[in-house]
Amino acid sequence: MLNRVILIGRLTRDPELRYTPAGVAVTQFTLAVDRPFISQGGEREADFIPVVTWRQLAEACANHLKKGHMAAVEGRIQVRNYENNEGRRVYVTEIIADNVRFLTPHSQSGGSASSNDSRPVAGNQQNRNNGNGQGTNTASDDWGIPDDDLPF
């Protein structure tokens, strides 16, 4: 069985960072994802999808994402339910993200967000051919870390 979701959209508001009683970080935000067609009225419609991130990814999202930023989210769909104050059963469908890529360029974000994903530098290392057959490590270019300080 497979439960896997990949979405690209824009945040409708700043992420909301909270901590559980056990001290685990959790962030919630809503992603507006365009539908692939135009309505009969000639307007493009969007779905507003709730996203939840946990632990270090939650803190990274809270620090680097803002309202209007574009992000790619990978994760799984989860449906949970609870009983509200009126005694009615309420069902909530949300994406539990395990990977978020920040797609708004650094120059447009106005902050310290990178256009790369929130995984550690080692997980995002790229090599480019510099014309003489030798690749250059671009992790130092993207993150402002000198090559000598990289642990690999």
Side-chain angles (χ1 to χ4, degrees):
M1 291 185 228
L2 179 66
N3 180 355
R4 196 75 185 149
V5 176
I6 300 173
L7 301 169
I8 297 177
R10 293 194 181 274
L11 274 72
T12 61
R13 59 185 165 88
D14 289 351
E16 178 184 315
L17 175 65
R18 293 179 298 147
Y19 290 89
T20 66
V24 178
V26 58
T27 300
Q28 295 179 316
F29 57 90
T30 301
L31 205 62
V33 179
D34 286 339
R35 292 184 177 169
F37 55 86
I38 297 175
S39 70
Q40 290 180 348
E43 296 195 17
R44 184 168 289 276
E45 295 180 1
D47 291 302
F48 299 90
I49 302 170
V51 178
V52 178
T53 60
W54 291 89
R55 299 176 184 78
Q56 290 176 332
L57 181 58
E59 292 174 339
C61 288
N63 290 333
H64 298 296
L65 290 175
K66 302 288 181 221
K67 178 182 178 179
H69 282 196
M70 187 171 284
V73 173
E74 293 180 67
R76 62 183 171 83
I77 294 177
Q78 175 177 286
V79 179
R80 60 184 172 88
N81 64 73
Y82 63 93
E83 198 170 297
N84 68 10
N85 295 337
E86 299 170 356
R88 294 187 179 186
R89 176 90 29 217
V90 177
Y91 290 88
V92 178
T93 302
E94 56 200 2
I95 305 302
I96 306 301
D98 54 41
N99 188 14
V100 175
R101 292 182 183 257
F102 309 142
L103 300 179
T104 299
H106 179 66
S107 60
Q108 294 176 6
S109 68
S112 61
S114 170
S115 61
N116 294 319
D117 65 20
S118 60
R119 291 180 291 171
V121 174
N124 194 36
Q125 182 179 353
Q126 299 174 359
N127 286 322
R128 291 188 189 146
N129 189 330
N130 64 8
N132 65 3
Q134 295 179 341
T136 58
N137 183 337
T138 61
S140 62
D141 299 334
D142 294 341
W143 293 85
I145 301 170
D147 286 335
D148 296 342
D149 290 345
L150 294 174
F152 45 87

